[in-house]
C-alpha cells in the first residue's frame, strides 16, 4: 500500500454515522478500509490521523477561479479549505468558447471577477474552445481538480453579440452547436447569468432550446436567475418551469433570498422547490454561509446601459444626460442589475479595484466615500467605473441570516463559495466557506450535524456532477480526501482580514497525493480537469 491513513474517524460523505478505521491508498484510489479492531494494513507511508475526521474532499459547486487556476496553480485559497474539486464557468460568463473578438470583450467584462483584463499580460490566453481550456489545466496542473460549465452569456456573445434582441433561427442554431461542442469536449453543463449582459437578453424560449441540448448530453443547467430581490420567487419559479419544459436537470446557483423584500421568506422558496421535487423534478442548489453578496459594481447598472459591451457602457456613463437616466433607474425605479430594488449606496462596499491609485476606495461603502468627497454617491460610483474601466468589485450587504440557515438545511443543498479572489479586500467566503460551514454552522450553532454537513459538501455535489467515483470514502473511489479536527476547524478569513487561512485542516489529498501537509501547502499539483461522464 502506498499510503495508510491510520486511526481516522471516517465521515464517509453518505450521511452515515462516523466510525474508526484505517484507510489504504494505492494508485490514487482508496484501496481498502479496515475498521477498528480488524488487522491493520501496512503501507510504505503511514499518516497517523489520531482521531481526526477523514472525509471526502469538498466540492465547491460555484467558483470563480477560471483564471486563478492557471495564473497561480498553488491555489492555496481553495486547497487550504479542503476543496479538492471546484466548478468554474459560472454565471454565464467565462473564457471559452471564444474567438479573438469575444475573448477581449469577456476579459473586459469580468476583469473584476478574475483579473485578466485586456491589458493584463500575466497570462497567455492560448485556448479558444472548452476542450482547449481544459487541456491547458491538464498540461499545467493545479492544486485542485476543476469542472467547467459552458457559459451561456459568452455563447450569446459569440453568436449574437451584445444586442438586446431575440436571436434569429440561425443564431439559435449556432448557440446550440456551441453548447453541444462544449459538452462533447467535457463541460458538465451550462451556466447563465440572467442579471448580467448579454446573457440576460435571452428569452425563456431561447434558454429552453439550449437546455434541451444540455439535457441530451446528461448535463445540468446552472442559472444565476433573473432576480434575487424583488420578484425573486417568480424568478425561481421561472427557472423550475423552464427546466421542466426542457427536461433538464437544474442546479440553482447561490440560492439566496436577499434584500428587505425577502426577509423571512426562505420557507416560501423551499416550499416551491419541494413541490417541484415531489413532482419528479431534478433540482439541486448551492449556497455560501454568509449574508453579504459579492459581484462587480457594473453589474448594478440597468441592462440597457450595458448593451453593446464594455466600451458602449463607458460611453453612456461619460454622457451626462444618459448617466442621469441611469441614476434615476438605479435610485428610484430599481435596476434589473440590482434585482429590481432601488440601490442603497450604504450597502455597497468597494472590495477591489484594478488601478492602484484607486485603492483608497477599498473597504469603504460608496456612500461613505461620497460623503468624504462632498458629492452624490452615484457620481462617486460613476467615477470609479470610468477610471477603473468597469473593474471595481463590491460586497453588497443585503442578506438575512435566518434565510441562510433555513436554505442550508434543505435536502438538495450543496456548498458553493461563489469565491471571487480578486481585489484588496475580497469576500471572506473565497478563503473560508468550507471551514465556516464546519466550524460555525456545525460545531457552534448545530444547524447541521457533522455527517449531514459533510454529505452536503461531498456526495451531493458529486452526484449532481454525475461522478461515479468521487464524493464518498469507499474502496475504488478517488483518493481526494481531507483530514480535519472537528473541535477546532474554522475559517480564519474575516471581512477585515479576508485572506487569512483556515485552521484545523492539517491534511488534504488530491489523487492520493498531499497538496496540504501538516497545515502547509506542498508543491504538489495533482489537480486536473474533471470532464463530463458520457451517457451510457
Amino acid at each position: 500500500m502506498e499510503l495508510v491513513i491510520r486511526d481516522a474517524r471516517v465521515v464517509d460523505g453518505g450521511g452515515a454515522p462516523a466510525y474508526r478505521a484505517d484507510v489504504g491508498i494505492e494508485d490514487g484510489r482508496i484501496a481498502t478500509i479496515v475498521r477498528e479492531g480488524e488487522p491493520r494494513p501496512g503501507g510504505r507511508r503511514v499518516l497517523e490521523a489520531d482521531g481526526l475526521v477523514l472525509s471526502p474532499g469538498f466540492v465547491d459547486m460555484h467558483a470563480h477561479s477560471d483564471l486563478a487556476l492557471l495564473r497561480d496553480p498553488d491555489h492555496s485559497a481553495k486547497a487550504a479549505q479542503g476543496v479538492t474539486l471546484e466548478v468554474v464557468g459560472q454565471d454565464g460568463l467565462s473564457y471559452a468558447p471564444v474567438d479573438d473578438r469575444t475573448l477581449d470583450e469577456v476579459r473586459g467584462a469580468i476583469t473584476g471577477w478574475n483579473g485578466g483584463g485586456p491589458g493584463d499580460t500575466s497570462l497567455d490566453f492560448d485556448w479558444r474552445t472548452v476542450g482547449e481550456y481544459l487541456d491547458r489545466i491538464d498540461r499545467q496542473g493545479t492544486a485542485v481538480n476543476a469542472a467547467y460549465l459552458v457559459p451561456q452569456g459568452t455563447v450569446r456573445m459569440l453568436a449574437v453579440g451584445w444586442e438586446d434582441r431575440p436571436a434569429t433561427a440561425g443564431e439559435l442554431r449556432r448557440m446550440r452547436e456551441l453548447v453541444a461542442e462544449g459538452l462533447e469536449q467535457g463541460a458538465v453543463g451550462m451556466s447563465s447569468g440572467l442579471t448580467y449582459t448579454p446573457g440576460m437578453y435571452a428569452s425563456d424560449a431561447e434558454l429552453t432550446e439550449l437546455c434541451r441540448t444540455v439535457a441530451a448530453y446528461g448535463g445540468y443547467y446552472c442559472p444565476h436567475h433573473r432576480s434575487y430581490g424583488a420578484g425573486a420567487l417568480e424568478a425561481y419559479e421561472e427557472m423550475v418551469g423552464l427546466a421542466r419544459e426542457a427536461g433538464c436537470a437544474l442546479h440553482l446557483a447561490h440560492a439566496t433570498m436577499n434584500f428587505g423584500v425577502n426577509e423571512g421568506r426562505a420557507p416560501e422558496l423551499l416550499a416551491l422547490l419541494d413541490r417541484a421535487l415531489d413532482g419528479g423534478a431534478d433540482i439541486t442548489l448551492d449556497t455560501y454561509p454568509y449574508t453579504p453578496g459579492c459581484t462587480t459594481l457594473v453589474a448594478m447598472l440597468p441592462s440597457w446601459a450595458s448593451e453593446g459591451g464594455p466600451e458602449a457602457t463607458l460611453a453612456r456613463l461619460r454622457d451626462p444626460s444618459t448617466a442621469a437616466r441611469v441614476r434615476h433607474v438605479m435610485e428610484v425605479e430599481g435596476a434589473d442589475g440590482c434585482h429590481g430594488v432601488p440601490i442603497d449606496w450604504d450597502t455597497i462596499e468597494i472590495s477591489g479595484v484594478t488601478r492602484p491609485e484607486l485603492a483608497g476606495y477599498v473597504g469603504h461603502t460608496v456612500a461613505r466615500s461620497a460623503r468624504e468627497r462632498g458629492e452624490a454617491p452615484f457620481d462617486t460610483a460613476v467615477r470609479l467605473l470610468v477610471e477603473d474601466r468597469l473593474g471595481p468589485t463590491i460586497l453588497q450587504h443585503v442578506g438575512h441570516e435566518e434565510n441562510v440557515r433555513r436554505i442550508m438545511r434543505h435536502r438538495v443543498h450543496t456548498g458553493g463559495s461563489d469565491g471571487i479572489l480578486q481585489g484588496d479586500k475580497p469576500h471572506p467566503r473565497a478563503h473560508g466557506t468550507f471551514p465556516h460551514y464546519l466550524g460555525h454552522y456545525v460545531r457552534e450553532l448545530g444547524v447541521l450535524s457533522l455527517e449531514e454537513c459533510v454529505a452536503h459538501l461531498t456526495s451531493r455535489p458529486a452526484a449532481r456532477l454525475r461522478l461515479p467515483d468521487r464524493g464518498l470514502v469507499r474502496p475504488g473511489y478517488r483518493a481526494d480526501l481531507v483530514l480535519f479536527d472537528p473541535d477546532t476547524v474554522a475559517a480564519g478569513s474575516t471581512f477585515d482580514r479576508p485572506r487569512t487561512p483556515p485552521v484545523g485542516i492539517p491534511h488534504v489529498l488530491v489523487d492520493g497525493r498531499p497538496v496540504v501537509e501538516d497545515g502547509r501547502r506542498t508543491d504538489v499539483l495533482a489537480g486536473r480537469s474533471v470532464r463530463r461522464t458520457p451517457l451510457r
Side-chain angles (χ1 to χ4, degrees), residues 133-148:
Y133 171 78
L134 297 175
D135 289 344
R136 170 70 180 272
I137 292 173
D138 290 342
R139 287 197 310 273
Q140 184 167 312
T142 185
V144 307
N145 299 305
Y148 190 78

Side-chain angles (χ1 to χ4, degrees), residues 346-358:
D346 279 303
T347 69
I348 306 297
E349 178 185 352
I350 303 300
S351 60
V353 292
T354 63
R355 294 179 60 183
E357 60 267 32
L358 301 173

Side-chain angles (χ1 to χ4, degrees), residues 5-30:
I5 301 173
R6 183 154 289 161
D7 192 27
R9 179 184 169 191
V10 177
V11 176
D12 70 1
Y19 62 88
R20 290 275 186 149
D22 295 348
V23 176
I25 296 169
E26 188 80 36
D27 295 328
R29 293 186 179 270
I30 298 169

Side-chain angles (χ1 to χ4, degrees), residues 192-232:
S192 284
L194 300 179
T195 64
Y196 301 125
T197 56
M200 69 189 304
Y201 300 142
S203 66
D204 282 3
E206 179 181 314
L207 294 170
T208 300
E209 287 303 306
L210 298 182
C211 284
R212 287 195 173 103
T213 299
V214 174
Y217 285 89
Y220 68 92
Y221 180 43
C222 180
H224 164 128
H225 51 273
R226 297 194 192 273
S227 177
Y228 291 82

Side-chain angles (χ1 to χ4, degrees), residues 153-452:
T154 303
V155 165
R156 199 173 209 273
M157 207 183 300
L158 263 173
V160 181
W162 290 82
E163 293 78 29
D164 181 3
R165 63 170 175 81
T168 66
E171 290 165 343
L172 180 56
R173 182 167 57 251
R174 178 58 177 149
M175 284 190 281
R176 292 189 67 168
E177 290 170 353
L178 289 166
V179 172
E181 288 170 5
L183 290 159
E184 288 171 357
Q185 293 165 7
V188 294
M190 181 182 78
S191 74
S192 284
L194 300 179
T195 64
Y196 301 125
T197 56
M200 69 189 304
Y201 300 142
S203 66
D204 282 3
E206 179 181 314
L207 294 170
T208 300
E209 287 303 306
L210 298 182
C211 284
R212 287 195 173 103
T213 299
V214 174
Y217 285 89
Y220 68 92
Y221 180 43
C222 180
H224 164 128
H225 51 273
R226 297 194 192 273
S227 177
Y228 291 82
L233 285 173
E234 292 81 1
Y236 280 112
E237 193 164 14
E238 175 192 8
M239 294 298 101
V240 170
L242 187 156
R244 182 187 293 115
E245 176 70 20
C248 187
L250 177 66
H251 181 83
L252 297 166
H254 38 58
T256 56
M257 293 288 287
N258 289 337
F259 301 91
V261 294
N262 290 315
E263 185 172 2
R265 299 187 71 189
E268 296 176 59
L269 166 62
L270 301 181
L272 184 161
L273 298 180
D274 285 334
R275 287 193 297 272
L277 290 163
D278 293 344
D282 182 0
I283 302 173
T284 49
L285 59 86
D286 67 67
T287 69
Y288 47 85
Y290 299 87
T291 53
C294 179
T295 187
T296 57
L297 181 58
V298 67
M300 298 291 102
L301 300 179
S303 58
W304 58 261
S306 293
E307 186 179 1
E311 292 305 320
T313 304
L314 289 167
R316 291 186 183 99
L317 293 175
R318 292 186 182 107
D319 177 69
S321 62
T322 307
R325 288 175 55 211
V326 172
R327 177 177 182 174
H328 179 80
V329 173
M330 294 182 73
E331 296 185 347
V332 179
E333 297 176 8
D336 47 7
C338 195
H339 309 278
V341 177
I343 197 163
D344 178 355
W345 295 110
D346 279 303
T347 69
I348 306 297
E349 178 185 352
I350 303 300
S351 60
V353 292
T354 63
R355 294 179 60 183
E357 60 267 32
L358 301 173
Y361 290 94
V362 174
H364 297 170
T365 66
V366 171
R368 174 180 168 180
S369 291
R371 286 192 295 269
E372 291 173 350
R373 288 161 175 77
E375 62 186 1
F378 178 80
D379 294 335
T380 300
V382 168
R383 181 189 306 108
L384 266 172
L385 286 167
V386 170
E387 293 184 7
D388 206 33
R389 296 191 59 78
L390 311 184
T393 51
I394 63 169
L395 302 183
Q396 192 171 18
H397 296 271
V398 292
H400 305 287
E401 178 66 19
E402 183 55 32
N403 284 349
V404 169
R405 296 187 194 186
R406 282 183 176 271
I407 293 169
M408 75 169 63
R409 293 189 187 105
H410 195 264
R411 52 177 160 152
V412 297
H413 171 265
T414 67
S417 71
D418 198 9
I420 294 174
L421 300 168
Q422 289 296 115
D424 292 331
K425 199 177 180 186
H427 196 303
R429 68 193 186 192
H431 293 255
T433 285
F434 296 87
H436 196 51
Y437 266 119
L438 296 166
H440 186 58
Y441 286 96
V442 172
R443 184 181 64 247
E444 295 176 359
L445 299 180
V447 174
L448 295 167
S449 73
L450 179 61
E451 289 84 356
E452 286 175 323

Side-chain angles (χ1 to χ4, degrees), residues 1-217:
M1 208 74 65
E2 290 177 6
L3 171 66
V4 172
I5 301 173
R6 183 154 289 161
D7 192 27
R9 179 184 169 191
V10 177
V11 176
D12 70 1
Y19 62 88
R20 290 275 186 149
D22 295 348
V23 176
I25 296 169
E26 188 80 36
D27 295 328
R29 293 186 179 270
I30 298 169
T32 186
I33 300 174
V34 179
R35 297 210 177 207
E36 188 176 32
E38 299 176 8
R40 286 186 152 173
R44 292 189 289 279
R45 180 171 173 245
V46 174
L47 174 58
E48 296 289 349
D50 294 326
L52 292 174
V53 167
L54 175 68
S55 82
F58 306 134
V59 180
D60 188 342
M61 285 296 287
H62 193 103
H64 288 285
S65 306
D66 309 48
L67 300 186
L69 288 162
L70 304 177
R71 185 189 297 112
D72 181 22
D74 178 79
H75 209 35
S76 294
K78 295 299 178 66
Q81 295 184 59
V83 171
T84 58
L85 169 62
E86 56 184 357
V87 185
V88 297
Q90 299 286 350
D91 293 333
L93 289 167
S94 190
Y95 305 92
V98 291
D99 57 17
D100 291 348
R101 171 185 65 84
T102 54
L103 177 60
D104 282 345
E105 289 173 349
V106 78
R107 287 177 67 181
I110 55 174
T111 183
W113 289 357
N114 299 303
D120 186 342
T121 60
S122 65
L123 186 64
D124 181 11
F125 288 80
D126 61 352
W127 67 87
R128 293 297 180 268
T129 69
V130 170
E132 289 169 352
Y133 171 78
L134 297 175
D135 289 344
R136 170 70 180 272
I137 292 173
D138 290 342
R139 287 197 310 273
Q140 184 167 312
T142 185
V144 307
N145 299 305
Y148 190 78
L149 294 165
V150 179
Q152 170 259 330
T154 303
V155 165
R156 199 173 209 273
M157 207 183 300
L158 263 173
V160 181
W162 290 82
E163 293 78 29
D164 181 3
R165 63 170 175 81
T168 66
E171 290 165 343
L172 180 56
R173 182 167 57 251
R174 178 58 177 149
M175 284 190 281
R176 292 189 67 168
E177 290 170 353
L178 289 166
V179 172
E181 288 170 5
L183 290 159
E184 288 171 357
Q185 293 165 7
V188 294
M190 181 182 78
S191 74
S192 284
L194 300 179
T195 64
Y196 301 125
T197 56
M200 69 189 304
Y201 300 142
S203 66
D204 282 3
E206 179 181 314
L207 294 170
T208 300
E209 287 303 306
L210 298 182
C211 284
R212 287 195 173 103
T213 299
V214 174
Y217 285 89

